Amino acid sequence: MFTQTIEAVGICKTPYQQKFGIPRQPGLVEAKGQIRLTGEYNHLDFVQGIEQYSHLWLLFSFHENLEQGFKAKVRPPRLGGNEKIGVFATRSTFRPNGIGQSVVKLEGVRFESNQVIIDISGMDLVDGTPILDIKPYLPFSDSLPDAQAGMAQESPELCEIVFNDSCLTQLSQMYKGEELKRLIEQVLAQDPRPAYKKNKPDDKQYFITLDKFNIGWQVIEQCIVVFSIELIKA
Ligand code: SAH
């Protein structure tokens, strides 16, 4: 049997501090992040010429799930979390080898304090995710508009987001408040709740951490209402 040892080439910094709330695919939320190259890969030689591409493929480790291993059959959220299908027929994070892949937008490359930083946006990765490889996205080959995707043909429906008055005031007085508001809106519009919770009465208060903020929200009549935004103390 073939085996190969893999070493990370970098670490991804993102606003997503925990798995709950991260979009289920890339490109759904415009959040900004960075790839910081590590070890012997932290050299501009490795990224020379990369600026000519608008998008990159990231291969990464689902490192937070590796310990839990994998199952041959999984319940994808798209099927309401009830039906099981083969793991290779899904983008499940519990898979043999635990490797994820995402297309992200390339925003730029910098070299600061001896650190190669690749600025990206649109990623669906948790903060600290090990990056295994980076490749340019090639539209002539990678973009297949006629491809069939069964139950996942369309992007998921978006939920309406409402902020209560105190959150709106808070955001309007905050440095980069508009940016944070857009991030919260786009993240919550995906309705991060487990599939079985949808279309049922649900009075639970949920919390997600985005950047340095803990966001409290609740579903009221099919609408997501943001009721608190708290700065997390270091
Ligand atoms: N686009 C990728 C990932 C899809 S699943 C692919 O198709 O391979 C996206 C989910 O992965 C996110 O919602 C988040 O919950 C989870 N995730 C992101 N980074 C992770 C990590 N480092 N370890 C485990 N799960 C992670």
Side-chain angles (χ1 to χ4, degrees):
M1 189 199 280
F2 175 78
T3 59
Q4 179 183 6
T5 307
I6 289 182
E7 184 184 57
V9 300
I11 289 284
C12 196
K13 301 290 301 164
T14 80
Y16 306 121
Q17 305 302 322
Q18 86 276 79
K19 282 183 288 176
F20 180 59
I22 303 182
R24 296 189 175 100
Q25 287 305 331
L28 299 171
V29 172
E30 296 160 316
K32 291 184 183 146
Q34 297 178 349
I35 301 161
R36 302 171 81 90
L37 298 182
T38 45
E40 64 174 299
Y41 313 102
N42 181 27
H43 196 288
L44 277 175
D45 280 358
F46 284 92
V47 290
Q48 202 196 330
I50 208 169
E51 306 87 359
Q52 62 190 301
Y53 300 100
S54 65
H55 291 78
L56 300 175
W57 277 109
L58 302 183
L59 298 178
F60 59 92
S61 171
F62 288 122
H63 74 306
E64 291 202 356
N65 291 357
L66 292 179
E67 261 179 26
Q68 290 165 72
F70 63 90
K71 295 207 176 80
K73 293 188 115 188
V74 298
R75 298 175 204 271
R78 287 281 193 159
L79 290 174
N82 302 318
E83 218 180 302
K84 282 188 172 180
I85 57 173
V87 65
F88 294 146
T90 74
R91 303 283 281 256
S92 168
T93 60
F94 300 95
R95 50 199 314 121
N97 296 323
I99 293 178
Q101 56 174 98
S102 294
V103 174
V104 298
K105 187 155 184 246
L106 172 61
E107 302 282 356
V109 183
R110 297 179 275 151
F111 189 66
E112 279 177 19
S113 314
N114 282 325
Q115 177 66 59
V116 178
I117 300 173
I118 307 173
D119 289 303
I120 56 170
S121 65
M123 63 283 141
D124 52 352
L125 279 61
V126 75
D127 190 37
T129 294
I131 301 296
L132 306 178
D133 202 356
I134 301 167
K135 304 185 192 190
Y137 175 84
L138 298 181
F140 81 85
S141 171
D142 296 347
S143 164
L144 305 167
D146 298 330
Q148 296 301 305
M151 61 183 177
Q153 190 75 34
E154 305 291 336
S155 59
E157 251 180 64
L158 297 181
C159 224
E160 196 184 326
I161 312 299
V162 176
F163 293 80
N164 75 7
D165 287 346
S166 72
C167 289
L168 280 179
T169 312
Q170 199 181 342
L171 284 165
S172 70
Q173 293 166 352
M174 203 184 267
Y175 172 66
K176 290 197 173 175
E178 263 309 306
E179 202 175 304
L180 179 63
K181 180 165 183 260
R182 204 166 343 115
L183 180 64
I184 298 171
E185 274 169 345
Q186 292 186 353
V187 166
L188 294 183
Q190 310 290 325
D191 192 349
R193 295 176 301 158
Y196 68 89
K197 293 266 190 186
K198 291 178 189 167
N199 307 316
K200 281 194 204 136
D202 180 6
D203 57 7
K204 191 174 158 184
Q205 296 195 331
Y206 292 91
F207 292 88
I208 58 169
T209 312
L210 291 174
D211 264 330
K212 298 182 203 69
F213 298 94
N214 193 21
I215 318 291
W217 55 280
Q218 205 172 352
V219 182
I220 298 174
E221 291 170 6
Q222 315 285 333
C223 205
I224 289 184
V225 179
V226 179
F227 62 80
S228 68
I229 301 173
E230 274 176 37
L231 182 66
I232 300 161
K233 301 215 173 63

